[in-house]
Every structure is written in structure tokens, then in C-alpha cells.
Amino acid sequence: MRRVTIAGLGLSLLAFAPLGAADQWPQFRGPLAGVAPDDPRLPDVWSETENVVWKTNIPGLGWSSPVVWDDHIFVTSAVSGGTEPAPVKGLYDPGSEQGSARSTAVHRFVVYDVDFATGRIRWQRELRRVPPPIAKHIKNSFASETPVTDGERVYVRFGAIGLLEAFDFKGSTVWARELGAFNGPQQFGSASSPVLYRDRLYLVSDNTTQSFIAAYDKRTGTEAWRVPRQEVESWSTPLVWENDLRTEIVTTSRNKVRSYGLDGLLLWELTGMTVNVVPTPFAQHGLLYVGSGYPGANPRPVYAIRPGASGDISLKPGETSNQFIVWYQPLLGTYNTSAIVYGDYYYTLLDRGFLVCHDARTGTEVYKRQRISAESAGFTASPWAYNGKIFLLSEDGDTFVVQAGPEYKLLGKNSLNEMPLATPAVARGSLIVRTQSKLYRIAKEARR
């Protein structure tokens, strides 16, 4: 393990200060869909050495995002016993050499608990040691689902081996469930992460064998309910949408957007998505935002939806809104990245390296496509925001810092010089970035 550490009374006191909900990052994109509370300790400048509190090698390959609770950072990985082809940067159509591929090597499927203060791996647990039973896209990994935690346990899903498992914070297994390893028609692997709400864990599995959405008791792993789905493939993580009228579970896939009650009953649905649905739905300003944007598809939709819908709320030909769809943009959807609402604005990071800004409440364009960098290979990680800035992480390891607001202004570029696809976490005045082989903790306190 290779790491850079700093010492200092101020940082030590910070590490052991009482923590509140705003200090945690318990799930993919955090509690506010990529937006972190403003904090003067958070960095806007870094490199492989500057403002690095520590960096730790993480064996294997996993594109799951880090999650943070108190002094624990959890990540997952699939460690191959053989030689695997390197992920290929950029946006491209799959083919025999760049699309689906199997691995015959034995993989160790591992969850790591990394110490927030030091970067030391506190414990690691190997869940299985087997060859992956399904194939994946060359840019996917066999550990792309992000864990979720409630501060007592961490819940880990490996879709590649069909396993859902809960650990306590000492690394002991609390329960485990075999769900079956399934794939879609393109054989691109899995990526949809579990989500947690109160005493239940929810997950979606869309595949060609037995698609379903299911709920599990977080204490015991007992399945509370399971509902079949008429879908064959998606990589989108569901959203538990707690709005003014009710709480619902929103899912997106190639055929329909569907919303379910906490009892699994279908509330409403919406047609019009593209194939290969990856972006995660999210909510801000009392609205739900959903979209998809497979390259070359038309439309590539984004919808803003108000609470209270029932039945089929799909737009009719020629419509751009209805009783529940507040606004619709036919060509704004992204392929891999999820959008972000920061302040009054809805920012879209297009995979080929453009940023677009719209009014979050009305869908009105604020500024057109802005080229972020002509040299970038592409963008897969979703944007995040704090301190009046939007952060955009490219597949080259460059994070571009953009001024938030109605005018586009590029403020800087920070390079780590290694491919990342995972979306970072932001917690306790620190940015936690995962690259292909390393985990970084970055903060202003690292300056000497």
C-alpha cells in the first residue's frame, strides 16, 4: 500500500469531532444527488501530490463509488487472478474487440474498509473466489455497484455473482442472499446499486432471465416483496423519492420509467426512454428528473415530473408537458453521466465533453453546449458540486472546475493521470476520488 499522510493537531481533532448527517456520504452520489454542503476545507485545486492527504492502492478493478460514514470509507473490487484487457477510454459502439467479453480467470470479490484519517485498509472481506459467471462490457467492471450504508452496516451487491450481503463495521457478515447472476441481451454486465430507505433495502435487476424489483429487510435480509418487470437491461440505480405527497421508488429502463409504492405496487409509468439506460433519477426543487441518452437515439429525453402522478403519464405526440410532466427536453439525455441540479440550474455533462445549462424549474435553456476540453477522451463519472463550483471528471483523470451560475466559465483543471469511471464522494471537508488503481483523499488541510 502506497500512501501520503500528513500530521497535525488541527486535522487530528477534525477526524474525531462529532459528525452529523451532512458529514456522511452513504450512497451513490450522496444524499443530495451530487451536491455537497459548502465547506471552506473542500479543495478546488489538486494534483497527484498537491492537497493529497493520502492515496491508497486498491487491488483489482471496480467502478463502484466510495461511500463514507464517520471514519469508514467502503469500496468494492473484483481482483483477477489472471490478465484482463485494459478498459478503453472514450465513447464508441461495441464490437468484437471493444464490446462484451468473458473472463475465465478466478476473481476475488472483495469489500474494503479504508480508514478515513490514514488511508490504511482497516479490513477486507472476500465474498467469493470464482470465475465471473457472466460477461461484461470492456469498460464495465465486475464490481460496479456502489455499496450503501446506514451507519451500522454496509450493504454490498455484486451483480456479476448474484450476491447481496450485509456487513457490520467490524467486517463480520450479518446476512447474505443469493439472487442469481443474470445478464442482458448485449452481455454488458451489471451496475445498478442498492438503495436504502428506513428498514428496507431496494434493488432492481433487469435482465433476459427474470427481471424484478425487490425489497429486503435490512436487519435480516428477508425478502419483503418482489415484483416482476417487463424489461431486459439497464444499469440505472433506483431512487427513493420522498416528496410532499408520498414516498415512491422510481426506476428507469429501456421500455419505461416506473414508480412503485413502498409496498411494490405500481403507481405510474412513462414511455419514451432510449436503450442502454444508465443515468440515475434524482429529485430537487420538488421535481423528479429522469432521462436517458443512448448515442444516436432520437429522442434522447429528459423529463421533469411533479409528485402525485398515477397511471400512464407518457406525452402524446407533439406534447412537451402535461398534468405531471412539467418540462421535457427531447435531446438533452446523457449516455453514462447523471445530471446535477445546483441552485436554480440543471447542468448536463454530455459524455463527449460538453456542458449545457437549463433552468431547473422550467427547462429553459440558460447556455448552449460549451466544450470543456478538446483533448479529453470522454466523461463517464457524474458531476458534483460545492462552494459555488461544478466539478467534471474525465476518463483521463482530469477534473475540470466550472463556475456555477448562468454563465459558463472554466476555472481550472486538476489532473491525477489515471483513468477513473467512478463518481467521487464528498464528506468531512474532503473529496474521495477513486481511479483505476487508487483511492485518494483530497483536502485543503493537506497543504504544508
Side-chain angles (χ1 to χ4, degrees):
M1 180 174 66
R2 178 169 169 256
R3 62 180 182 265
V4 178
T5 60
I6 69 168
L9 178 61
L11 188 61
S12 297
L13 291 175
L14 172 67
F16 294 101
L19 301 175
D23 297 296
Q24 319 295 0
W25 197 268
Q27 63 189 33
F28 176 62
R29 302 194 76 203
L32 295 174
V35 177
D38 290 347
D39 188 330
R41 300 170 297 172
L42 287 170
D44 51 19
V45 174
W46 63 84
S47 69
E48 291 178 88
T49 55
E50 183 181 8
N51 279 341
V52 174
V53 182
W54 49 255
K55 58 183 175 183
T56 296
N57 290 334
I58 302 295
L61 181 64
W63 293 131
S64 61
S65 295
V67 297
V68 183
W69 194 281
D70 291 351
D71 200 33
H72 302 261
I73 302 173
F74 299 105
V75 293
T76 62
S77 187
V79 185
S80 175
T83 301
E84 306 296 331
V88 179
K89 296 177 184 177
L91 190 63
Y92 46 82
D93 287 329
S96 59
E97 295 181 356
Q98 294 183 324
S100 175
R102 288 189 175 272
S103 175
T104 59
V106 171
H107 282 61
R108 295 189 299 113
F109 292 85
V110 185
V111 56
Y112 297 94
D113 178 359
V114 180
D115 185 277
F116 183 92
T118 66
R120 178 181 60 86
I121 294 177
R122 181 184 285 109
W123 52 259
Q124 58 179 290
R125 295 293 178 267
E126 182 180 300
L127 281 66
R128 294 289 186 277
R129 186 184 292 236
V130 293
I134 65 172
K136 68 172 182 63
H137 192 283
I138 194 172
K139 277 181 71 175
N140 200 358
S141 78
F142 291 118
S144 290
E145 298 89 349
T146 296
V148 62
T149 181
D150 57 7
E152 295 181 5
R153 301 181 184 93
V154 58
Y155 305 88
V156 177
R157 179 190 186 188
F158 283 99
I161 54 173
L163 185 65
L164 180 67
E165 192 157 343
F167 294 87
D168 65 23
F169 274 31
K170 294 182 179 180
S172 297
T173 297
V174 179
W175 54 260
R177 285 194 65 93
E178 298 280 355
L179 304 179
F182 307 118
N183 219 334
Q186 299 175 96
Q187 300 289 300
F188 283 173
S190 61
S192 181
S193 304
V195 295
L196 189 63
Y197 183 73
R198 295 184 177 173
D199 61 349
R200 286 184 176 175
L201 196 67
Y202 301 93
L203 64 83
V204 169
S205 177
D206 288 341
N207 57 78
T208 55
T209 305
Q210 52 178 44
S211 294
F212 64 89
I213 178 173
Y216 302 90
D217 186 297
K218 73 172 188 177
R219 296 177 295 270
T220 65
T222 302
E223 188 171 277
W225 51 258
R226 176 183 290 221
V227 175
R229 286 166 53 83
Q230 288 69 51
E231 298 287 352
V232 296
E233 199 168 46
S234 75
W235 299 267
S236 174
T237 296
L239 167 72
V240 177
W241 183 23
E242 195 173 34
N243 57 58
D244 290 340
L245 300 180
R246 64 195 178 197
T247 300
E248 47 196 287
I249 310 161
V250 181
T251 68
T252 59
S253 198
R254 65 161 65 184
N255 290 327
K256 293 181 179 180
V257 178
R258 294 179 181 85
S259 183
Y260 302 86
L262 295 179
D263 54 4
L265 294 179
L266 183 67
L267 298 174
W268 57 266
E269 58 188 11
L270 165 67
T271 59
M273 304 298 276
T274 67
V275 299
N276 292 13
V277 178
V278 181
T280 293
F282 67 99
Q284 291 281 12
H285 300 313
L287 297 176
L288 168 72
Y289 301 94
V290 297
S292 66
Y294 181 71
N298 189 351
R300 301 185 297 279
V302 171
Y303 301 91
I305 300 167
R306 63 170 53 93
S310 62
D312 187 349
I313 66 168
S314 303
L315 292 174
K316 294 180 173 60
E319 287 185 337
T320 58
S321 64
N322 62 25
Q323 181 183 0
F324 294 105
I325 297 176
V326 177
W327 60 260
Y328 161 69
Q329 286 287 346
L331 296 175
L332 190 59
T334 57
Y335 187 24
N336 290 298
T337 64
S338 298
I340 189 170
V341 169
Y342 189 39
D344 295 328
Y345 304 107
Y346 181 101
Y347 299 92
T348 304
L349 173 59
L350 298 172
D351 303 71
R352 289 190 172 93
F354 295 88
L355 189 68
V356 191
C357 181
H358 289 75
D359 185 290
R361 295 176 178 85
T362 67
T364 303
E365 186 176 79
V366 176
Y367 59 71
K368 297 182 182 296
R369 289 186 179 197
Q370 303 292 322
R371 167 67 81 177
I372 300 165
S373 170
E375 291 77 35
S376 174
F379 292 77
T380 293
S382 298
W384 67 97
Y386 53 72
N387 294 346
K389 301 176 180 69
I390 309 292
F391 297 85
L392 315 170
L393 177 60
S394 80
E395 293 179 7
D396 296 305
D398 299 325
T399 300
F400 297 89
V401 185
V402 174
Q403 172 182 279
E407 296 183 5
Y408 176 84
K409 183 179 181 181
L410 182 63
L411 302 177
K413 182 179 79 170
N414 306 314
S415 298
L416 294 178
N417 297 311
E418 187 179 39
M419 185 179 184
L421 296 188
T423 299
V426 185
R428 301 176 61 189
S430 296
L431 177 67
I432 312 298
V433 180
R434 182 179 193 176
T435 64
Q436 191 167 340
S437 70
K438 296 178 178 61
L439 188 69
Y440 288 81
R441 179 179 160 209
I442 302 168
K444 287 183 180 178
E445 283 84 356
R447 292 177 179 170
R448 293 183 184 272

